[in-house]
Amino acid sequence: MKPRSTLTKKTSGYRLGIDLGGTKILAAVVDANGQIVGMAKKKTKGELGPDGVIKRIVDTASNALDVAKVSLKAVTGAGVGAPGPIDYETGMVYSAPNLPGWDEIALGPRLKKELGVPVRVDNDVNIGTLGEFTQGAGIGCQNMIGVFVGTGVGGGVIINGQLYRGFRYAAGEVGHMVVIPNGPLCGCGRQGCVEAVASRTAIEKAVRAGLAEGRSSLIGELLVAENDRFTSSIIEQAMTAEDPLMLEVIGNAQFYLGLLVGNLVNALDPEVVVFGGGVVEALGDRFLQPIRDTARAHFIQQRWLEKVKIVPAALGDNAGVLGGAALVAAPIRKG
Amino acid sequence: MKPRSTLTKKTSGYRLGIDLGGTKILAAVVDANGQIVGMAKKKTKGELGPDGVIKRIVDTASNALDVAKVSLKAVTGAGVGAPGPIDYETGMVYSAPNLPGWDEIALGPRLKKELGVPVRVDNDVNIGTLGEFTQGAGIGCQNMIGVFVGTGVGGGVIINGQLYRGFRYAAGEVGHMVVIPNGPLCGCGRQGCVEAVASRTAIEKAVRAGLAEGRSSLIGELLVAENDRFTSSIIEQAMTAEDPLMLEVIGNAQFYLGLLVGNLVNALDPEVVVFGGGVVEALGDRFLQPIRDTARAHFIQQRWLEKVKIVPAALGDNAGVLGGAALVAAPIRKG
């Protein structure tokens, strides 16, 4: 027998993981061991509408295959995370916030036609949670909750080793659990959701309100222009400098995220709560420790407090594509 | 062949369902079709301590078997609901509120020894939820949340057709989800739990505080003495008379129970939310409709609002014993 070159790609067993976001599309080719063997990235250009964006998804997937030197014939399926509520069984995106024109778009069937492989579509935060569960901070546990703090606050729920989607495929919307009755207005139109106090959007709003009130703060220097981007890096710099306004606003966000975790643990008693998203990545344990403390103080079951792990996500931006690839192997069923 | 008398009891396939409460013990013999064929009831007499109470549980079970004319030999197992946190795998009761001396009592093994049949023990509210799921208001669904409003507020979670217990067997404590940060003191020592505004205990506290402030109210006549029992029936009478103080206090409880349900639906998207307990039984849909309205207004997924049923429990006091019997057939495993 001729020895096989280690550079020889296998000719089967690859999966495509695709993460469709409001600003960028990520695609990865993942091998049977869950390793990424090629990746590509494109701007979403949502203004092109569903047809244009779907074409860009296909192009990104194609680029990832080129990078990986894997042909579509070697791909068993694609798993896609997309924003907004999705019918997981049919692959239809009901609506996608930040993507104009996405109104009941049959993303799964359309990508299947373009790519020629089976395609599964699920909510992007569910997919990120699945990625962290299968290959990140939740490896080996059975019950996990993912909380992602970015421009919004999203979540996902793993029960008995599987992504739990709920009756209307609407489970995991932990960002819209109300923690302050009649509290600050949320992007969803309601009041007092966690997202309305703890998302980067809410943090920015509170900080800008403080600046407008004339509070002296380093952030005034970091944000020179009114429309300068308020990034997680700016939050990190202000926190490192112990800027009082930022400490106050972040402290508030941490308190309510802690309450949220306490509430979720009292309802679901998971083994692990994974925190991901830009703010968490930028601040790390500085962000998480106060959340942990508040959460544990609110656990009704005070035995084995430390058994419930509250940990940072491990995969960063790759959670979505790895979760997408994991979706290919998951059973299609209700619940 | 001789015709069999319809009075002849079968000689196998019966299960014992036992509901251990702070004030009373209920036991039922349940046949293979889930029908109760005999029941008995005793006062708990918690002051007798664990040994005395365990003897009374055995006596109650024995009385139920007598009433059913079924011998222990025909019983395949017993399922017991007990208050407090419980190790479902070993049948140990860690502690039982309202039952003095219950500190790590091996209730399962001790009852197994006394009764001579396999015994499973779980939290009483879990068992009530399981009863409503298998034979009550949740029949046929896959994902259900039970909320029981009585002296406290308890809950149970059914996921994918099975009781979900969580990592530390502590899931379902929905009464201790915080809905008012820094809100009224709860019996658990924390602040602003749903239980602190919506339990009968909380309702009584708020009503008595109103009376003490000199508010004119029919309840002053219904509760003649300071230590008159504040029953669900008194709540019902005052509501029927449209007593302003009671309407206000109940309205407040309903609002926060509605928020709780909204939060739970956003996290778990169940098919059915079942409301049980004395207050719900006494007031019926008058109690539930405002809860439904508030909950639905808080659903983040506004599609198919009515698909998520919010309904009264169907089994009343029998939910516990029927859930206990259902437990006998359930698999023992984590999660």
Side-chain angles (χ1 to χ4, degrees), chain A residues 116-135:
Chain A
V117 297
V119 175
R120 287 177 182 185
V121 185
D122 202 345
N123 173 270
D124 52 358
V125 190
N126 274 357
I127 291 306
T129 300
L130 185 62
E132 288 291 340
F133 171 66
T134 53
Q135 289 181 256

Side-chain angles (χ1 to χ4, degrees), chain A residues 5 30 32 42 59 65 82 87 108-109 118 126 180 185 191 201 225 239 274 283 289 298-299 308 310 319 331 335:
Chain A
S5 158
V30 176
K42 274 188 185 294
D59 289 349
L65 288 163
D87 184 328
N126 274 357
I180 313 175
L185 192 66
Q191 287 181 274
T201 317
M239 287 292 284
V274 174
L283 296 176
Q289 192 52 46
H298 284 89
F299 289 2
V308 180
I310 301 170

Side-chain angles (χ1 to χ4, degrees), chain A residues 141 143 265 269-273 296 299 301-311, chain B residues 87 89 94 167-169 334:
Chain A
C141 78
N143 303 312
V265 168
D269 194 31
E271 188 171 351
V272 184
V273 180
R296 287 186 177 151
F299 289 2
Q301 173 57 284
Q302 286 282 307
R303 284 169 206 258
W304 315 297
L305 283 181
E306 283 80 23
K307 271 200 173 182
V308 180
K309 304 266 186 299
I310 301 170
V311 298
Chain B
D87 184 327
E89 248 165 311
Y94 288 114
F167 182 57
R168 302 171 299 160
Y169 298 125
K334 277 261 180 198

Side-chain angles (χ1 to χ4, degrees), chain B residues 315-326:
Chain B
L315 303 177
D317 259 8
N318 288 351
V321 291
L322 286 169

Side-chain angles (χ1 to χ4, degrees), chain B residues 70-85:
Chain B
V70 165
S71 91
L72 251 176
K73 283 179 201 153
V75 170
T76 55
V80 186

